[in-house]
Amino acid sequence: MHFISQDLENYIEQHSEKEPELLAALNKETYQKVLLPRMLSGHFQGRVLSMLSKLIRPVNILEIGTYTGYSALCLCEGMQENGTLHTIDIKEELVDFQRKHFDKSPWGNQIVQHLGEALDIIPTLELKFDLVFIDADKENYINYFELIVPKMNKGGIILSDNVLWSGKVLEPLNPKDISTKIVLEYNLLLKNDPRVETVLLPIRDGLTVSRVL
């Protein structure tokens, strides 16, 4: 997931906005108590998500893949006062962990947690979204995208994480590696779909910004 040297990553963090104390505490507790802490967005990518949200000023945000809630809180930083963030995850054991940190933030009552399969939950959300962050199982990225596009406001932004997939997008494809196959297909879809314009950013494990036309 690291495509530049650790020294350069450290320099980038040192010359970007400081990680808020609440998020630093969430980061630390995630590494102490939760499996696969590398899934957490972290300082630099978190500040990127925060900056994008502040530029977009969304009313309704959808996040697919909550994990411990770090990225959700980053996205909330740009949300309008009357806004709502809906976040979906399948891990029941993380719901209380997420809520504890959500409620320590200024946006606790604006964050709606959904537990279950995103493919089942997204169709039930009768909202138009200004900002969506996809960071869940790669096998369903295309399915999520197809469900989301009709629910986007014109000019809305879809962010897709892990689109470089630890560099596997450049390696010969193992036919049994379904996740990499779907990521490759998804990246082509975003490039060629006339409903969006897209730029792929080499941030952490790859972050695609797609604007709905």
Side-chain angles (χ1 to χ4, degrees), residues 73-86:
L73 290 172
C74 294
L75 295 170
C76 281
E77 292 180 33
M79 185 169 61
Q80 295 191 32
E81 289 184 7
N82 62 334
T84 304
L85 181 143
H86 291 261

Side-chain angles (χ1 to χ4, degrees), residues 20 46 74 80 100 108 112 139 160-161 177-178 180 184:
C74 294
Q80 295 191 32
K100 178 180 73 172
V112 181
E139 292 89 344
S160 308
D161 201 16
D177 186 351
I178 303 301
T180 300
L184 289 166

Side-chain angles (χ1 to χ4, degrees), residues 28-46:
K28 182 178 180 180
E29 189 170 352
T30 297
Y31 273 83
Q32 290 173 337
K33 298 180 179 180
V34 182
L35 292 173
L36 302 175
R38 69 194 289 269
M39 291 173 57
L40 185 135
S41 292
H43 177 189
F44 174 56
Q45 183 171 336

